[in-house]
Each structure stands twice: as structure tokens, then as C-alpha cells.
Amino acid sequence: MVIEKGSFMVVEKDMLKGVVPYPFEKHSNGYQRSTLVDRSLAGSVHQEIGVCELQPNGSVDFCLHAFEEGIYVLDGELELLRDHEAFRLSQDCYALVPYAVPHAYRNRGDKVARWFEVLAPQPKPRGGWQDTYFF
């Protein structure tokens, strides 16, 4: 169920539709994201919020961004590779990836890893100036 009142919107979990977000189409395996807040959905100017999923044996290639990435693990286990170290994050763990820090994600478990993600400032849309770089 979706409830809208002015600029306020409530979306139930089963309404979320995950897609491989731009620009990760060629730089991930088993990765999807359901965007909850951004400039097109809620008119947000400063941040983007979503729920991400990474399938077992899935990965997101090493990249860096011109924005901060905060994550909070909801389900499963997620491996964050950052600064030449691997951090195993399980349910209720959180992490911050500062801007311009190379990082990658892997799911070595047998369950889907799901996490809540906040990106600030908001990533640029397709066709805007580039703010994500892959290695």
C-alpha cells in the first residue's frame, strides 16, 4: 500500500521494486537497489535513500564516489572491502564509506544480504557529470 499526503509518502516493503542502479549495470553481479527517496520520487535535493540487495556470491566492483555512503545491514552478511581490509558486516551492523574512498561489496554467504543505504550528497543522474568511478 502507498499512502501519499502532499510530499509525505509511505511505501510498504512488498511494494519495493529492485533494479540494478545506474551506473552499476556493468559493474555488479546479483546487486539490486530499491530507491525510497531521491529527487524524482520525493523531491529530495540533498540525499538519496534506498534498500539494497546482494545475492549469494554476488559482488559490486571496486569504485569510489563523490559522495558519502552510509549503510545499515538489515539481513544476511555483507563483506565490505575498504582500505585494503575486508569487514564482515552482519545484521544490525553499520558502516560509513567516506567520499573518494575505494570500496567494493561481496556476499560470500548463502542468504541474500539486504542493507539500508543513505547517499549524501545525492548522486548525479544519468547524463550529469560523473561522480562514480570504477577500477
Side-chain angles (χ1 to χ4, degrees), residues 12-14 16 30-32 34 36 50-56 71-79 89-93 106-107 111-117:
E12 291 185 353
K13 180 179 166 181
D14 62 343
L16 300 177
Y31 172 63
Q32 289 190 338
S34 299
L36 304 174
V51 175
C52 300
E53 289 189 353
L54 191 58
Q55 297 298 316
I71 66 169
Y72 178 84
V73 179
L74 301 168
D75 299 303
E77 288 189 347
L78 182 65
E79 191 172 77
L89 306 173
S90 57
Q91 186 175 4
D92 295 328
C93 287
R106 290 190 296 216
N107 181 354
K111 297 179 186 174
V112 174
R114 291 180 59 244
W115 67 95
F116 182 81
E117 177 180 73

Side-chain angles (χ1 to χ4, degrees), residues 1-4 9-15:
M1 172 171 66
V2 176
I3 300 169
E4 290 189 59
M9 181 170 54
V10 176
V11 180
E12 291 185 353
K13 180 179 166 181
D14 62 343
M15 298 291 291

Side-chain angles (χ1 to χ4, degrees), residues 50 68-72 94-97 105 115-120:
E68 294 177 335
E69 185 173 351
I71 66 169
Y72 178 84
Y94 60 91
L96 172 70
V97 180
Y105 295 107
W115 67 95
F116 182 81
E117 177 180 73
V118 177
L119 309 174

